[in-house]
Amino acid sequence: MRTFRNPVLPGFYPDPSAIRVGEDYYLVTSSFEFYPGVPIFHSKDLVNWRQLGHVLDRPSQLNLDHTIPSMGIWAPTLRYHQGLFYMITTYVDNNKDQHNFYVTAADPAGDWSDPVWLEDAPGIDPSLFFDEDGKVYYTGNRVPPEGQDYPKHMDIWLQEIDLEQGKLTGPKLSIWQGALKVGHAQEGPHVYKIGGWYYVLIAEGGTGHTHAITIARSRNVTGPYEGHKANPILTHRHLGREYPIVNVGHGELVETQHGDWWMFCLASRTCGGYYRNLGRETFLTPVKWENEWPVVNPGKGVLELEAAAPDLPETKWPQLPVRDDFESAELSLIWNFLRTPRGEFWSLTERPGHLRLRLKPEQLTEISNPSYIGRRQQHLSFRAAAEMVFKPGATGETAGLVLIQNADNHFRYELKLKDGKQVLQLIVRSRGDEQLLASAPYPQDKVQLKAEARGQDYSFYYRADEFGSWTALHERADGRVLSTDLAGGFTGAYIGMYASSQGAPSTNYADFDWFSYEEIE
């Protein structure tokens, strides 16, 4: 029996939405304050995914200037109808006001259109449903029109939408308010028509430990909807905080070309206690139908780290190399910026075979667009390294590696000037308070920096070149500072390269010859 490993998209890939088009599967996830936005993936077997690009990859589509951590792009839905792909999502601003929009493309790899912003579309987590009679419906959540009976009590609503005009039309209809009266934060609705029934699948319980997936059905798209007596159909909140997979929710149903059903959802793996450095990841689990209701992972009812693979031809894609030598004309799709990149602060051509980062005054501690390029941490234990050439020319100029959860929670592994001499230093910033963990003189301009995580023990090393042995700058730092449980928010840890002049103008730059990332078994 062929098996697969969960999560199928490890690392910070939350709120999965997936579709099948013929024998091809496509999937998108949330991206929050990171740019480009909404990564999009392709698979033939539901397990092995390759990234096609990002849906929102132009500043005209996505302005994230000054977006605070964990705001930005929430919970996209991907749909396909008559040759056109649709992605609909919410941009949440710093005041937590919601702005819903959709974009379209004939090719899921892009280019995607500029946003169509929807008026009078309250709430978050929009979805589209194309009915058989040609009508299209928008679903989302909102504060109930009659008011909230308890904190975070939300209403799932439905309204017809005219996609040609980019407008909602007709009445807004409340169709469901979840399975439990205390099951707050009803959100993430998806409507499906399966057999003679319309189903609305939602998340409730909040995206933390009490997260859950529930379902209701109706003979009419507008309701009334009857909740399933077996709700929730998937949750881990009853398994306790020592179970290795937690906060399961936000599901999406997909039928294969052979008539089998599967569910994608988000969940987190814990590490070193109830700490979730990687954020919310994308998991896969089978679904069977009994009495016209779905049963998730029959006989077990939980997500598994290893399970029987879908009955589809296994299609593996070329693996990303462990090392990026920056020899391409474009950045690899794994790399992201913090917020929409402003200014010409990076280059792959000024020094061929290198990533050049120009020092910007913006700092990692600010809600800004610093000179930073990073990728997701995808494994509980990993090794990341880079070779950098950098000569700080003034006090305050700094460059190196960073491991970041957000502006107030990160590690900075930097080369800088101190009292006129070059030093390597490791700073941990936790809830806005900084501590110097280690420092060592380093007079040379070329350095290889390495960070290793074994669970929550994070260690930092350096050497002059590949012929030397690694020297420990600091070992077994507490990695829990990178967990959402201490840092807050909805994202996951990133690892990247960084350069800053810390408020002062500068023409200096750091050149990175390569960057490597690999799992430690």
Side-chain angles (χ1 to χ4, degrees):
M1 179 183 69
R2 185 163 54 90
T3 63
F4 74 95
R5 295 282 299 172
N6 262 322
V8 291
L9 283 179
F12 161 55
Y13 292 111
D15 308 319
S17 175
I19 57 171
R20 176 175 63 86
V21 180
E23 296 184 355
D24 295 282
Y25 299 87
Y26 302 96
L27 184 149
V28 295
T29 70
S30 297
S31 52
F32 294 87
E33 73 268 28
F34 293 94
Y35 183 99
V38 188
I40 183 164
F41 299 88
H42 170 234
S43 177
K44 287 284 194 177
D45 59 12
L46 296 175
V47 170
N48 296 288
W49 295 89
R50 61 169 178 166
Q51 188 171 353
L52 296 178
H54 293 83
V55 174
L56 307 174
D57 60 2
R58 304 188 302 275
S60 64
Q61 295 171 306
L62 184 59
N63 179 356
L64 293 169
D65 293 352
H66 310 297
T67 298
I68 63 177
S70 290
M71 297 296 110
I73 297 298
W74 289 17
T77 293
L78 184 65
R79 293 293 180 259
Y80 175 81
H81 184 68
Q82 294 183 350
L84 202 59
F85 291 85
Y86 296 80
M87 190 284 298
I88 188 167
T89 189
T90 310
Y91 170 73
V92 182
D93 66 27
N94 290 352
N95 297 318
K96 297 187 178 180
D97 292 332
Q98 303 98 31
H99 310 272
N100 291 293
F101 68 91
Y102 64 91
V103 293
T104 61
D107 183 343
D111 288 333
W112 290 75
S113 70
D114 280 342
V116 178
W117 297 93
L118 295 170
E119 297 181 1
D120 191 25
I124 61 171
D125 299 2
S127 185
L128 294 175
F129 170 66
F130 294 84
D131 207 350
E132 296 166 339
D133 61 3
K135 293 184 177 181
V136 188
Y137 295 90
Y138 174 109
T139 53
N141 83 343
R142 63 178 177 177
V143 172
E146 67 275 15
Q148 292 178 310
D149 293 337
Y150 51 88
K152 298 184 180 179
H153 169 209
M154 302 299 288
D155 173 64
I156 304 300
W157 63 281
L158 176 144
Q159 187 175 12
E160 196 172 342
I161 184 171
D162 184 332
L163 292 172
E164 290 187 2
Q165 297 294 321
K167 293 181 179 179
L168 295 167
T169 180
K172 286 181 171 58
L173 302 173
S174 296
I175 60 172
W176 201 38
Q177 294 189 359
L180 290 178
K181 290 186 177 180
V182 295
H184 64 282
Q186 296 84 354
E187 60 193 20
H190 294 311
V191 172
Y192 312 90
K193 189 172 188 185
I194 302 168
W197 293 97
Y198 293 91
Y199 294 87
V200 57
L201 184 78
I202 75 166
E204 57 179 281
T207 197
H209 187 73
T210 57
H211 213 21
I213 299 171
T214 59
I215 194 166
R217 71 184 185 187
S218 172
R219 290 295 187 185
N220 300 298
V221 67
T222 56
Y225 281 82
E226 162 204 8
H228 187 18
K229 291 183 173 60
N231 276 323
I233 59 172
L234 182 62
T235 188
H236 281 198
R237 61 191 179 199
H238 61 297
L239 300 177
R241 299 173 73 87
E242 295 184 2
Y243 198 77
I245 307 171
V246 297
N247 57 259
V248 175
H250 204 105
E252 173 84 285
L253 290 167
V254 175
E255 183 184 16
T256 74
Q257 59 267 37
H258 305 309
D260 298 325
W261 286 85
W262 290 81
M263 177 183 282
F264 291 96
C265 62
L266 68 78
S268 297
R269 292 175 288 168
T270 58
C271 182
Y274 201 92
Y275 298 98
R276 299 164 293 172
N277 296 36
L278 277 61
R280 299 167 303 158
E281 310 174 274
T282 290
F283 285 71
L284 176 68
T285 192
V287 171
K288 299 289 185 184
W289 290 84
E290 294 181 1
N291 299 321
E292 299 177 294
W293 289 108
V295 179
V296 181
N297 199 5
K300 299 174 182 177
V302 296
L303 297 181
E304 298 176 281
L305 291 172
E306 185 170 4
D311 183 20
L312 294 168
E314 185 178 29
T315 305
K316 292 186 176 181
W317 310 107
Q319 293 295 303
L320 288 174
V322 167
R323 184 162 128 166
D324 190 337
D325 286 299
F326 302 119
E327 293 177 345
S328 172
E330 297 180 349
L331 281 173
S332 167
L333 295 173
I334 64 169
W335 297 110
N336 289 150
F337 301 95
L338 267 170
R339 304 172 188 89
T340 306
R342 304 298 184 186
E344 301 295 326
F345 65 87
W346 64 276
S347 173
L348 291 167
T349 59
E350 289 182 14
R351 184 178 180 184
H354 293 73
L355 170 67
R356 174 164 290 180
L357 284 184
R358 296 194 172 278
L359 276 61
K360 293 179 71 176
E362 289 81 2
Q363 302 178 60
L364 203 65
T365 57
E366 301 169 343
I367 308 303
S368 62
N369 169 235
S371 183
Y372 159 87
I373 293 176
R375 56 152 296 155
R376 290 161 176 82
Q377 177 184 336
Q378 294 186 279
H379 305 91
L380 300 177
S381 295
F382 70 93
R383 178 184 299 112
E387 180 174 295
M388 177 181 74
V389 176
F390 173 58
K391 186 173 182 61
T395 299
E397 293 190 347
T398 180
L401 289 182
V402 292
L403 288 77
I404 178 172
Q405 179 64 237
N406 56 40
D408 280 337
N409 298 269
H410 56 249
F411 291 101
R412 300 198 308 274
Y413 190 12
E414 306 170 310
L415 179 64
K416 65 178 301 182
L417 285 179
K418 186 174 184 180
D419 299 326
K421 296 184 178 181
Q422 288 185 187
V423 297
L424 282 172
Q425 68 177 26
L426 177 66
I427 291 174
V428 62
R429 183 173 174 91
S430 179
R431 295 176 175 172
D433 294 327
E434 293 198 354
Q435 179 185 357
L436 177 65
L437 293 181
S439 179
Y442 193 84
Q444 302 178 68
D445 300 340
K446 185 170 82 169
V447 62
Q448 293 186 358
L449 304 172
K450 181 173 70 169
E452 283 190 0
R454 298 179 184 272
Q456 296 292 7
D457 290 335
Y458 283 61
S459 298
F460 299 83
Y461 305 90
Y462 65 95
R463 64 184 182 184
D465 52 46
E466 61 270 23
F467 303 109
S469 57
W470 291 102
T471 298
L473 182 67
H474 186 81
E475 295 184 305
R476 293 182 294 280
D478 188 349
R480 293 177 297 176
V481 66
L482 300 176
S483 75
T484 54
D485 307 278
L486 293 183
F490 306 125
T491 59
Y494 267 73
I495 309 144
M497 297 155 287
Y498 169 65
S500 176
S501 53
Q502 300 192 88
S506 175
T507 59
N508 205 355
Y509 52 82
D511 285 338
F512 293 87
D513 188 12
W514 51 264
F515 181 101
S516 65
Y517 174 91
E518 59 186 326
E519 181 181 11
I520 298 175
E521 293 291 346

